[in-house]
């Protein structure tokens, strides 16, 4: 994070710092890079998308059941980077965390993803 000094210590103490190196980026498959790029476009600019736009573009979440927790972590990273742009991202992170808990408790996968998207975009409207 570029502006780590701007984050409250209470928040920083609850965060895990993840350092991505060039080697990490190179080790991603082309499909993973495309997935992360698409997630970056959507969740990095939430305010520019309607729920209908997102539902038409976000098939990657529905197809990624095997590695959804990793993808949800990446969504949190995107949202975290944009907290200063829009404070709503703090609430969106809590929705992602709730989705992770539900998935780990073996809740219905599609319903969890639907709930996440509906929560984020209903609050965004």
């Amino acid at each position: 994070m570029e502006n780590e000094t701007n984050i409250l210590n209470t928040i920083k103490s609850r965060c895990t710092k993840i350092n991505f190196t060039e080697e990490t980026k190179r080790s991603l498959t082309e499909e993973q890079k495309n997935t992360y790029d698409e997630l970056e476009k959507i969740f990095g600019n939430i305010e520019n998308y309607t729920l209908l736009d997102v539902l038409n573009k976000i098939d990657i979440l529905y197809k990624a059941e095997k590695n959804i927790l990793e993808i949800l972590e990446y969504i949190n990273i995107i949202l975290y980077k944009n907290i200063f742009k829009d404070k709503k991202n703090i609430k969106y992170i809590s929705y992602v965390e709730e989705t992770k808990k539900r998935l780990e408790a073996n809740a219905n996968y599609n319903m969890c993803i639907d709930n996440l998207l509906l929560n984020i975009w209903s609050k965004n409207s």
Side-chain angles (χ1 to χ4, degrees):
M1 170 136 195
E2 295 169 6
N3 297 322
E4 190 174 329
T5 56
N6 293 336
I7 305 292
L8 294 172
N9 287 330
T10 54
I11 294 174
K12 283 194 284 190
S13 69
R14 290 172 177 83
C15 297
T16 303
K17 192 170 186 177
I18 301 172
N19 294 314
F20 290 102
T21 63
E22 285 303 314
E23 185 176 320
T24 306
K25 292 176 185 175
R26 284 192 299 267
S27 67
L28 295 175
T29 65
E30 198 59 40
E31 183 179 347
Q32 288 171 315
K33 288 178 187 175
N34 292 338
T35 297
Y36 290 146
D37 287 344
E38 190 64 28
L39 291 171
E40 186 82 41
K41 272 193 265 180
I42 293 170
F43 288 94
N45 298 296
I46 289 174
E47 66 280 355
N48 296 335
Y49 290 92
T50 66
L51 179 60
L52 187 57
D53 292 335
V54 171
L55 291 174
N56 287 329
K57 289 182 161 223
I58 207 74
D59 280 349
I60 50 179
L61 289 181
Y62 291 98
K63 294 176 182 174
E65 190 167 354
K66 187 172 64 174
N67 61 338
I68 189 61
L69 295 177
E70 177 184 312
I71 288 175
L72 291 174
E73 281 297 324
Y74 188 72
I75 290 170
N76 271 346
I77 291 168
I78 297 167
L79 295 171
Y80 181 75
K81 286 191 315 188
N82 291 310
I83 284 176
F84 294 109
K85 187 168 83 171
D86 188 348
K87 300 292 184 206
K88 291 181 194 172
N89 286 326
I90 296 169
K91 188 68 176 163
Y92 301 158
I93 290 171
S94 70
Y95 297 147
V96 173
E97 289 302 311
E98 183 62 33
T99 300
K100 286 169 39 182
K101 287 178 190 171
R102 289 178 179 176
L103 289 169
E104 289 171 342
N106 292 323
N108 180 282
Y109 181 80
N110 287 341
M111 287 180 74
C112 287
I113 301 303
D114 289 345
N115 187 54
L116 170 65
L117 297 176
L118 288 171
N119 274 326
I120 290 175
W121 271 271
S122 68
K123 304 299 187 255
N124 191 42
S125 301

